[in-house]
Amino acid sequence: WYQRRVAPMPEDTTNVILIGLDHGKVSIRRDIAVSCSLLLRELLDNEPSSSDVEVPVEVPREDTLKLVAQYMLSRWQNKPRAIERPLAQPLQKCVDALDYDISSSWSVEMTLDLLAASNFLHFVELRDLCCAKVASYMMDMSTEGIRAMLGVQKDFTDEEERELKTKHGIPYV
């Protein structure tokens, strides 16, 4: 989807190479990466721009980094519209057509991985889209459904439960 909307990369540009926890690498033009990510902008501010730079990212999988890079490519000169908060309507009505198209194929797991990656990189536009996507998943879910989606078994750790029982005398299980 992003290839249709982005001009080809010039060959004389340096790149940022994002490295995931699985050691997968994804390369993106430096100017695009620093325009989208506050973290990369701050990290690379004093680095010479004459060569590629490798940056380890707290993201488990290369496929997540590829989607981050694709979103950077699609949005670096075409910022998305602001997303209303709280999300009161279906996602399709709250985001522009490009964001809806991009996010429509994401699974819950991929959305949560992208949320973690965008939060780590401080990539606000992608983080906001991921948050809206997660909110859209939760709109009609019960508490139990939300817990299952997020993999939450219990509200409190065993230690927190003991503390609550001691303090209040009420079982919070």
Side-chain angles (χ1 to χ4, degrees):
W1 48 264
Y2 71 97
Q3 293 172 337
R4 296 181 304 229
R5 296 174 174 89
V6 177
M9 286 198 268
E11 292 182 27
D12 59 346
T13 310
T14 60
N15 294 307
V16 173
I17 301 163
L18 303 174
I19 305 171
L21 295 176
D22 65 354
H23 305 291
K25 296 181 179 184
V26 175
S27 181
I28 182 124
R29 266 182 30 200
R30 183 184 182 126
D31 61 327
I32 295 172
V34 298
S35 74
C36 294
S37 166
L38 181 60
L39 174 76
L40 295 176
R41 190 174 317 133
E42 289 177 358
L43 280 175
L44 302 176
D45 191 33
N46 295 322
E47 289 286 323
S49 60
S50 58
S51 61
D52 291 353
V53 176
E54 291 188 349
V55 178
V57 180
E58 296 285 324
V59 175
R61 300 187 326 239
E62 181 181 2
D63 59 337
T64 304
L65 287 176
K66 285 181 181 176
L67 289 176
V68 169
Q70 289 172 356
Y71 194 78
M72 284 180 175
L73 285 169
S74 69
R75 285 304 195 178
W76 74 291
Q77 289 183 320
N78 178 20
K79 298 295 182 194
R81 76 175 195 223
I83 300 171
E84 66 181 68
R85 293 177 188 172
L87 197 69
Q89 301 179 57
L91 186 65
Q92 188 171 10
K93 293 182 179 182
C94 298
V95 299
D96 61 30
L98 178 59
D99 274 356
Y100 186 75
D101 183 43
I102 289 169
S103 66
S104 63
S105 64
W106 298 346
S107 65
V108 172
E109 180 183 14
M110 181 55 71
T111 304
L112 294 173
D113 284 350
L114 286 166
L115 179 56
S118 61
N119 193 50
F120 179 83
L121 292 168
H122 200 93
F123 183 7
V124 175
E125 293 84 5
L126 180 57
R127 185 196 61 211
D128 288 351
L129 177 59
C130 291
C131 287
K133 181 85 173 178
V134 170
S136 74
Y137 290 139
M138 294 179 175
M139 281 183 115
D140 295 322
M141 283 187 169
S142 65
T143 304
E144 292 76 25
I146 293 170
R147 285 183 183 140
M149 179 182 79
L150 298 175
V152 175
Q153 299 295 322
K154 297 170 30 176
D155 290 336
F156 302 103
T157 65
D158 292 339
E159 183 179 321
E160 291 170 327
E161 283 182 6
R162 282 192 298 276
E163 186 178 316
L164 287 168
K165 286 177 186 177
T166 302
K167 186 175 181 179
H168 301 287
I170 302 170
Y172 284 89
V173 183

